[in-house]
Structure formats: structure tokens, C-alpha cells
Amino acid sequence: MVDHSVGKNVNQVVDSGKAIPDTPGFELPLLLFGAFRTLIDRLHARLAEEGHPDLRPAHGFAMQAIGTGGATASEVGRRLGVSKQAAGKTVDRLLALGYAERTDDPHDARRKLVRLTPRGRAALHRSAELFDELRAEWSAALGPDRVRDLEHALRTVVPRETAFRLDAGTWLSGA
Amino acid sequence: MVDHSVGKNVNQVVDSGKAIPDTPGFELPLLLFGAFRTLIDRLHARLAEEGHPDLRPAHGFAMQAIGTGGATASEVGRRLGVSKQAAGKTVDRLLALGYAERTDDPHDARRKLVRLTPRGRAALHRSAELFDELRAEWSAALGPDRVRDLEHALRTVVPRETAFRLDAGTWLSGA
DNA sequence: CGGAATGGTCAACCATGTTGTCGATCTTAC
DNA sequence: GTAAGATCGACAACATGGTTGACCATTCCG
């Protein structure tokens, strides 16, 4: 696997004002993704233990998009950056798993409001708690300041809207 | 969308040795993923401009797994953490796009060596350069030290093997 | 030699995404 | 008040990429 043997973190050498390349750039995305993945994997491992074995990362994002107040499939789609059809399918999945329910909107016969079930709300709430715990673990391992700085750094470098897009599956593969 | 209104980055307040929660934990994965995504998106935007519009993130990972020396589909599968069949399909895709080629292994009639075509090698090489450029941009925006510390922090927090797994698509969704 | 591993491929199936179409239902402009 | 337009949800067809399971060919090894 690559074996460019980035190895022991070759430290940068600043020579005469000119920086010698330290870490190859391709490590950055790998680390970012690895970190993301680690967090999500651990979250779902815990959730699975606690009675949500069928919940997948994508579902968490979708539930987040539905929110406590409920939303229509189209809205969910817009929030997640996918088509309303795709959002509809995800909602179907959530329905089947018992995390959401669909109700008619009395004010607009076209719309069907998707709401989280108590189980859905519980899972969402628990996820938030677990993420806090996970962050606390990182704080313990790295020191609170470094975690904060990491967040701050990332926040300045990633465009605000980018975070929540959830066409992730397709985005990685191809469409 | 959540609207816990994390807003302006509520700074932590340390009171009497007890830390008041600053950033909600769920921001961390979002930032991590957003950062990853930003990097990859920009890479592929550039690659597309430079004549590789059909290259998807997944292909980059696969080519990385094939490496300069070539590999069999099974090996690719192992490196990427997916089944040999899945790896085979991805290789097929790469073949169709002209980034790889399949040749028989003279030493072992079972194996079929997958090798990158010149075009594939060029794309891989260019990707490495672009990643370096992207990293340099981050260094300019954040300061080289912060980027290095970010990498260092992530490296201590993500298990070594996690980085390269590329069942990512499925991993996010459900399988 | 002959059985176990290994490599590649086929087939069926799942989960997600996409586009296009369509009927039903607001909304808005005349 | 009504007709044109926008929006919502759903269906269908299709692409990707992942999974298992089954099979055959080949190689390795006792």
C-alpha cells in the first residue's frame, strides 16, 4: 500500500527560507478521512451495542436532516444535497427501520411530513452524547487545546456548506 | 439542519477546573469529512480540467492500490479492504477508462496482473503533485505549523490501518 | 499424486444515486 | 375565477459499487 514509507513523520527542515517538503500532500486527505471514519465507526459500534445495530452513517445524516421538527422528503433532499427521489428512498429506509414516520400535512395535500419516531429521536440524542464523549476522548489524548485548534483550523479551511452534503456515497464512487 | 446554532464558535469557559462544553462533538466528524471532501473535490476539479474528467475518487484509491508495480485484483481487494470481486469490478472500470490494463502473469497462469497505463501513471503522479499544492495552500492559510500539528494530531488518533480502507461507499451506506 | 489454497469470473441481490415522467395540488397572475 | 406554473411525491429505468455464493483452473504442498 503505497509504501512511499512516509514513515516516522519526517520533520520539515527549513533551510534558507525555503521549506523542504515534509509530509507528502496525499497523506492529508487520508488522515482526514481516517479520522472521520474512526469517529463514525466508533459511534456506530456503540449505537449497535445499545440497540441500534441497523443504523448506518447515512441514516444518521438523514435523521439529522429531518430534525426534531420534521421535514418533507424534498426538504431532506435539499439539505443533503441529493435529489428528492434519493431522499425519498432514504426516508423509506428509515421508515422500515422504525426511525421515522410519514404523515400527511393537513395544510398541503401534496406534502407528506416525515417525523422522527421516539426511537429516532432517542438515537439522534444518543448520537450527540456519544460524539461528545468521543470528542472528550480526543481531548484527553491530544489535549483540549489541540482539539480546539484542529476544529478551528478545519473550520477556516472548509466552506460552510460543504459539511452537510450527503451524496457522499455516490460522490465517492461515480455519478 | 440541526440548528443547535453552534454559531460563532462559542469559546470554552474554564470555570473551576471543570470545563464547560465548548464545541458540540458532532461538529468534529462533519469538519473532518468536510475537509476531506474539500480536498478531494478540488483535486478532481483540477484533474477534470487537465483531461481526466471521468476519474472519480474511488478510482484514485484503486490506482493507488495497484501501484506502480502492478497488482492482481485479489491484492487490490485486500489493500482496499473489499472483496476480490468488488476489486475486479473497479479494475474493469479502470480498464474501460484507459487507466489500467490486464496482462497474464507468465509465472502463474491463474493470476492476471493489473498494471497502470502511462495515462494511469500520469494521473497518479499528477494527483500527488496536486495534493502537495493543496497542502501548500492550507499551509499558507493556516500556517505551516498548524498543518503539521493537525497531521500529527490526526496521526495519533487514527489507527494506522484505517486510512486506506476503501469500502467507503458501502461503508457509508449500508452493507 | 491428490487435496487444500488461491485467483478470476459469473450471477444474483442490495443500497444509493441519477434522470425523466406524471398526476395531484398549491400559488399566482390576470 | 380560472388558467399557467411551480412543487410534492411516486414510479420506472439505469449506473455504480459492494456483498455472497458457486465454479473452474491452477499452483502448492504433504
Side-chain angles (χ1 to χ4, degrees):
Chain A
M1 125 180 351
V2 181
D3 62 23
H4 288 209
S5 148
V6 189
K8 298 296 115 192
N9 184 14
V10 181
N11 271 308
Q12 182 186 59
V13 180
V14 175
D15 205 17
S16 45
K18 188 111 172 94
I20 274 68
D22 41 346
T23 307
F26 74 82
E27 285 245 319
L28 205 40
L30 256 19
L31 286 168
L32 257 4
F33 182 68
F36 170 67
R37 183 176 181 134
T38 302
L39 246 20
I40 299 291
D41 274 349
R42 296 181 61 191
L43 170 80
H44 283 279
R46 304 282 288 277
L47 285 175
E49 284 171 17
E50 297 178 14
H52 301 287
D54 292 331
L55 215 47
R56 316 252 82 239
H59 304 150
F61 281 84
M63 289 199 291
Q64 195 75 294
I66 293 170
T68 344
T72 66
S74 289
E75 281 164 0
V76 171
R78 278 190 293 269
R79 290 176 190 175
L80 259 36
V82 300
S83 65
K84 59 184 181 177
Q85 292 92 330
K89 287 190 194 179
T90 301
V91 167
D92 285 344
R93 196 100 196 76
L94 248 24
L95 281 253
L97 293 173
Y99 289 99
E101 59 191 1
R102 235 195 286 254
T103 65
D104 288 333
D105 183 329
H107 302 307
D108 186 336
R110 291 169 307 174
R111 312 177 80 219
K112 295 198 178 158
L113 242 199
V114 179
R115 277 216 213 75
L116 294 179
T117 59
R119 178 176 171 73
R121 264 191 300 280
L124 205 48
H125 182 251
R126 188 64 188 124
S127 294
E129 288 178 348
L130 287 169
F131 274 133
D132 284 339
E133 290 179 30
L134 257 8
R135 203 195 103 110
E137 289 176 27
W138 281 29
S139 288
L142 300 172
D145 292 346
R146 291 178 76 202
V147 174
R148 259 197 307 281
D149 188 60
L150 190 159
E151 289 170 335
H152 185 244
L154 293 180
R155 217 174 271 123
T156 88
V157 127
V158 17
R160 264 212 144 306
E161 324 71 56
T162 310
F164 232 136
R165 306 217 45 219
L166 233 306
D167 47 333
T170 305
W171 165 75
L172 267 170
S173 338
Chain B
M1 146 180 332
V2 181
D3 62 24
H4 289 208
S5 149
V6 189
K8 298 297 115 192
N9 183 16
V10 181
N11 272 309
Q12 181 187 57
V13 180
V14 176
D15 205 17
S16 44
K18 187 113 173 96
I20 275 68
D22 41 346
T23 306
F26 73 82
E27 286 244 319
L28 205 40
L30 256 20
L31 286 169
L32 257 4
F33 182 67
F36 170 67
R37 183 178 181 133
T38 302
L39 247 19
I40 300 291
D41 272 350
R42 294 182 60 192
L43 171 80
H44 282 280
R46 304 283 289 277
L47 284 176
E49 284 171 16
E50 298 179 12
H52 301 287
D54 292 331
L55 215 46
R56 314 252 83 239
H59 304 149
F61 281 85
M63 289 199 291
Q64 195 74 294
I66 291 171
T68 344
T72 66
S74 290
E75 283 164 359
V76 171
R78 279 191 293 269
R79 290 176 191 174
L80 259 36
V82 301
S83 65
K84 60 182 181 178
Q85 293 93 328
K89 285 192 196 179
T90 301
V91 168
D92 285 343
R93 198 98 193 76
L94 249 23
L95 282 251
L97 292 173
Y99 289 101
E101 59 190 1
R102 235 194 287 254
T103 65
D104 288 333
D105 184 331
H107 302 307
D108 186 336
R110 291 169 306 176
R111 312 177 80 218
K112 295 194 180 161
L113 243 199
V114 179
R115 278 215 214 76
L116 294 179
T117 60
R119 178 177 171 74
R121 264 191 300 282
L124 204 49
H125 181 250
R126 189 64 188 125
S127 293
E129 288 178 349
L130 287 169
F131 274 132
D132 284 340
E133 290 179 29
L134 256 8
R135 203 195 101 111
E137 289 176 26
W138 281 29
S139 288
L142 300 173
D145 293 346
R146 291 178 76 200
V147 174
R148 259 196 307 282
D149 188 60
L150 190 157
E151 289 170 334
H152 186 244
L154 293 179
R155 219 173 268 124
T156 89
V157 126
V158 16
R160 263 214 146 305
E161 324 70 57
T162 309
F164 232 134
R165 306 218 44 221
L166 233 304
D167 48 331
T170 306
W171 167 76
L172 269 168
S173 339

